[in-house]
Amino acid sequence: MPFLIIGLVVVLIGGGVAGWLALRARYGPRDADQRQAATLLWKESPTMDEKPFNSWASDGIVAVMHEDWLDAFHADSGEDAWDMEPPLRAGDDAKLSRFCGMSHEVKNGLGVIAYGPYKKDTYGGTGCSTIAVIDVKTGAVKRQFDMPVVENRSTTNFTDPEIVGDVVVFALHDTVFGMSLTSGNEIWRHDQEVSRGCRVLGPAISERTVAVPLDCTTDGPAQELLLLDPVSGAERGRARYESQSPVGVISADPPIVEIATIDDFQAPRTLLVFDEAGRQVTTIPEDLPAGRLNISSISSHVDSQSRKMYRAFIADGVLIASTVSTAVNAYRETNKIVAVDLKTGEQRWASELGPKITGMPFAVTDNRVLVINQHTHENPSQVFEIPLNGGSPKPISGLFPDLGTLIDSYNLHWGEGTVYGIYMGPGTTATPIFAVR
């Protein structure tokens, strides 16, 4: 009898332990040593405490732009590579200059920056009227353009410059310029009708199209999309539509704008897709079968004319973005990654990282979508890949260390298996700039 009792106790205890382990594996936190950890290669703080408004990660360099300073770090070590203060325009009587824009992409090792005393009423001078092409590896200025100053026109309306082939495209005084990268000469310009009072709001630029959103206040619909040839500056088309707030351009190829159908800053946005002639192709609604589309800007831009940056990507005829997260319980949320057909506006596929995981796309490469999840105790951030034609997500990185803030507060770059992050959220953080592999 004693042996039987002892046996029953052992069985009960064993079953209880096994049951507890099963429940813990299903619902509880996972031990860090059961999953591979990613490596924090380095973290750095920029020279300035102020919030950056754009960054590059290219050609072995991570560069971060603030109003007063441009920092560059070696991508492999985080050590200082070079830095730059915004110079004054030659002959300008202003006493203070500011950076006011940088290209969203690096082309053939070259990036473009814009600077000048852009708040003329405060600093004097000619506004954000100088752009420079720099070697990203060294910070050396390869070409500088002192843009023509247009009298009696606003000097605070400027946009981020971009390189398209041999042309540098930039807008100032609500005029769009095409400058030769080789010669430094002006190739073309497209001016707005002054009487209409149209403002340029951050063009999106591709190899095929310059998509220029205009905020017009004096006649007709309040919003327009001007489409230009990047090589010649010729007008290809113009679309007119109404929006309750200034629009943002998500893509130039094809041209896609986000509009607000009601006067509410927090209201979801509808997307309009156009062709190169300005004809509307389709509308992407706010609500999809997988949930409400999350089209929110991550920009920490200095001026409303700067081009916004979105966590939405165009590839293989689809727009890829995330849905707005929904609560699972009092502590966790979830969402989905979706692909929307750009011809029909219909959802093509949706993928979920997990029932209690919130993810967002941050890059598209090699027929795959790269997604990262928000950090939680149970599921630290890591990188997943989803086939471009849809499918189940596959983890391709180890678990990130806790960065001390939400991952969606960073401008993220991907290169050679490494994630580079630059904090662009509110306030400060213990990890302003990082590299994780």
Side-chain angles (χ1 to χ4, degrees):
M1 181 64 70
F3 294 104
L4 177 60
I5 293 173
I6 293 172
L8 286 172
V9 170
V10 170
V11 170
L12 288 172
I13 293 175
V17 170
W20 176 81
L21 288 174
L23 288 172
R24 186 175 188 275
R26 182 176 179 85
Y27 298 107
R30 300 181 64 176
D31 294 334
D33 60 0
Q34 292 180 353
R35 292 178 290 178
Q36 182 179 1
T39 301
L40 177 64
L41 298 181
W42 53 267
K43 64 177 183 177
E44 288 291 341
S45 297
T47 302
M48 309 301 295
D49 291 333
E50 64 196 24
K51 195 162 44 176
F53 51 89
N54 211 336
S55 57
W56 295 323
S58 180
D59 297 86
I61 295 293
V62 175
V64 183
M65 176 176 279
H66 304 263
E67 284 188 271
D68 299 304
W69 206 271
L70 178 57
D71 280 305
F73 305 91
H74 288 290
D76 57 353
S77 65
E79 296 179 355
D80 293 341
W82 52 268
D83 56 45
M84 178 186 297
E85 292 184 82
L88 290 171
R89 175 171 172 149
D92 205 328
D93 60 357
K95 297 180 180 180
L96 191 62
S97 185
R98 290 283 190 269
F99 286 120
C100 42
M102 69 190 300
S103 58
H104 285 217
E105 297 181 7
V106 173
K107 301 288 184 66
N108 299 319
L110 301 177
V112 191
I113 60 175
Y115 53 87
Y118 62 91
K119 296 180 179 178
K120 184 174 181 178
D121 293 340
T122 303
Y123 302 121
T126 55
C128 186
S129 55
T130 301
I131 60 177
V133 179
I134 63 173
D135 185 316
V136 173
K137 284 186 177 181
T138 65
V141 175
K142 296 295 186 180
R143 177 73 64 185
Q144 179 172 309
F145 308 96
D146 287 331
M147 308 298 288
V149 176
V150 181
E151 296 298 331
N152 302 317
R153 295 284 291 275
S154 171
T155 58
T156 60
N157 288 358
F158 56 85
T159 64
D160 295 315
E162 299 288 352
I163 299 175
V164 183
D166 186 53
V167 182
V168 177
V169 180
F170 182 66
L172 177 69
H173 316 304
D174 298 317
T175 302
V176 187
F177 295 90
M179 313 291 289
S180 170
L181 182 61
T182 303
S183 68
N185 297 325
E186 178 183 321
I187 301 175
W188 55 264
R189 72 167 67 181
H190 192 287
D191 203 354
Q192 311 303 317
E193 297 177 37
V194 178
S195 60
R196 297 192 60 207
C198 296
R199 295 186 304 143
V200 173
L201 299 177
I205 301 166
S206 72
E207 299 293 330
R208 298 177 15 158
T209 307
V210 179
V212 186
L214 302 175
D215 183 19
C216 302
T217 58
T218 58
D219 66 331
Q223 312 290 338
E224 297 183 5
L225 184 66
L226 172 66
L227 302 173
L228 304 176
D229 184 305
V231 177
S232 66
E235 183 173 329
R236 287 179 167 173
R238 189 183 293 254
R240 294 176 174 85
Y241 45 87
E242 294 187 16
S243 177
Q244 297 298 319
S245 65
V247 303
V249 182
I250 292 177
S251 166
D253 189 13
I256 304 175
V257 299
E258 49 129 353
I259 65 169
T261 56
I262 60 175
D263 189 11
D264 184 348
F265 177 78
Q266 295 182 337
R269 300 300 182 101
T270 297
L271 304 185
L272 305 180
V273 183
F274 300 92
D275 64 15
E276 293 181 354
R279 296 181 292 260
Q280 186 172 336
V281 176
T282 190
T283 299
I284 299 177
E286 306 151 357
D287 294 310
L288 300 170
R292 176 157 289 181
L293 199 61
N294 184 12
I295 299 296
S296 57
S297 168
I298 63 170
S299 299
S300 172
H301 48 78
V302 174
D303 189 273
S304 63
Q305 278 69 45
S306 297
R307 180 186 168 194
K308 297 178 182 179
M309 295 182 292
Y310 297 89
R311 296 200 194 281
F313 300 89
I314 309 299
D316 197 29
V318 296
L319 177 139
I320 299 163
S322 63
T323 62
V324 176
S325 59
T326 57
V328 177
N329 54 42
Y331 306 100
R332 295 292 178 260
E333 297 180 336
T334 189
N335 73 340
K336 294 181 180 179
I337 309 302
V338 296
V340 183
D341 193 295
L342 293 175
K343 291 184 178 180
T344 65
E346 297 179 352
Q347 178 180 303
R348 189 178 289 184
W349 56 259
S351 184
E352 183 183 71
L353 298 185
K356 296 182 181 180
I357 301 177
T358 300
M360 62 183 187
F362 71 96
V364 175
T365 178
D366 297 331
N367 297 317
R368 58 182 180 160
V369 182
L370 299 185
V371 181
I372 193 167
N373 64 291
Q374 295 282 23
H375 178 96
T376 65
H377 179 67
E378 299 92 340
N379 294 287
S381 295
Q382 66 181 139
V383 179
F384 298 80
E385 66 175 14
I386 301 174
L388 197 53
N389 59 1
S392 299
K394 173 186 175 183
I396 60 171
S397 81
L399 305 180
F400 278 41
D402 187 355
L403 301 172
T405 189
L406 296 176
I407 195 69
D408 65 359
S409 297
Y410 287 87
N411 189 22
L412 299 176
H413 304 272
W414 173 263
E416 298 182 356
T418 302
V419 177
Y420 303 97
I422 294 85
Y423 183 72
M424 301 182 70
T428 60
T429 179
T431 315
I433 308 170
F434 72 82
V436 170
R437 177 179 298 163

